[in-house]
Amino acid sequence: MAVFKYKMQSILEVKEKVETQAKQDFAAAQLKLNEELNHLEEIRKRREEYVAEGIRLRNTDIDIVAINENKRAVELMDEFEKQQLLQVNVAQKEVDAASYKMMEARAQTKTYEKLKEKAFDEFVAEENHKEGKEIDELNSFRFTGN
């Protein structure tokens, strides 16, 4: 029996490599987003600690310097949080873009895989047809030769 050789195998392999790279890019973007979200959470926790400390400072002996420092620290944490939210948004957009590229790459790979399956089915059908023809010729030869 003949060996099946897909004419566009090299293209399929390139598409598979592109898909693998897109998956890796998506994973890296998702990891970066998770890191940015963790950093945002840390900032929010620190801010809450400063707010709690500010409440404690106001409920004990009044220390204006400490209260002002605490107020500046809370304001600074607010600014850090705003900046970090921007970083999170950028990372989310990168994840979305990587996800889109990954889905596109998968769709292209699937298209070439379907073409390969179709070509293989045609190859099998052609081989079966050839085999049937050979069997018919062999039977015809046997019956006419006797």
Side-chain angles (χ1 to χ4, degrees):
M1 185 168 180
V3 176
F4 174 69
K5 182 162 172 56
Y6 182 50
K7 294 177 184 177
M8 295 188 287
Q9 184 64 36
S10 61
I11 295 172
L12 176 60
E13 289 170 359
V14 167
K15 295 296 182 184
E16 288 171 342
K17 287 178 184 177
V18 168
E19 180 184 355
T20 300
Q21 183 62 45
K23 286 179 182 178
Q24 291 171 348
D25 292 345
F26 174 76
Q30 188 67 46
L31 181 64
K32 177 147 175 51
L33 174 62
N34 290 340
E35 289 172 356
E36 296 295 346
L37 287 170
N38 288 339
H39 190 209
L40 177 63
E41 188 61 31
E42 290 172 12
I43 289 171
R44 287 180 174 164
K45 285 180 184 176
R46 282 181 54 198
R47 183 190 182 284
E48 289 303 315
E49 290 171 5
Y50 283 127
V51 168
E53 182 182 349
I55 292 170
R56 185 188 55 78
L57 286 172
R58 287 174 182 81
N59 289 335
T60 60
D61 293 334
I62 304 282
D63 182 358
I64 302 297
V65 173
I67 291 173
N68 283 337
E69 285 177 4
N70 180 264
K71 181 180 175 184
R72 282 192 297 274
V74 170
E75 291 170 353
L76 187 60
M77 288 295 109
D78 288 341
E79 186 60 34
F80 285 164
E81 184 176 359
K82 287 177 189 175
Q83 291 173 0
Q84 189 59 31
L85 281 171
L86 292 174
Q87 293 298 322
V88 167
N89 288 337
V90 167
Q92 182 62 54
K93 287 179 183 177
E94 289 174 3
V95 166
D96 294 343
S99 174
Y100 178 77
K101 286 180 182 177
M102 183 177 66
M103 289 186 319
E104 285 293 314
R106 182 63 192 139
Q108 289 180 6
T109 302
K110 246 185 170 354
T111 300
Y112 280 92
E113 287 172 348
K114 292 285 185 187
L115 290 172
K116 182 178 181 178
E117 288 175 19
K118 185 178 178 184
F120 181 73
D121 291 344
E122 290 172 0
F123 170 78
V124 169
E126 186 177 313
E127 287 297 311
N128 287 340
H129 180 70
K130 285 180 185 177
E131 187 178 309
K133 199 174 190 180
E134 288 176 7
I135 290 172
D136 287 346
E137 288 176 5
L138 185 61
N139 286 336
S140 175
F141 178 73
R142 280 186 189 162
F143 288 118
T144 57
N146 287 337

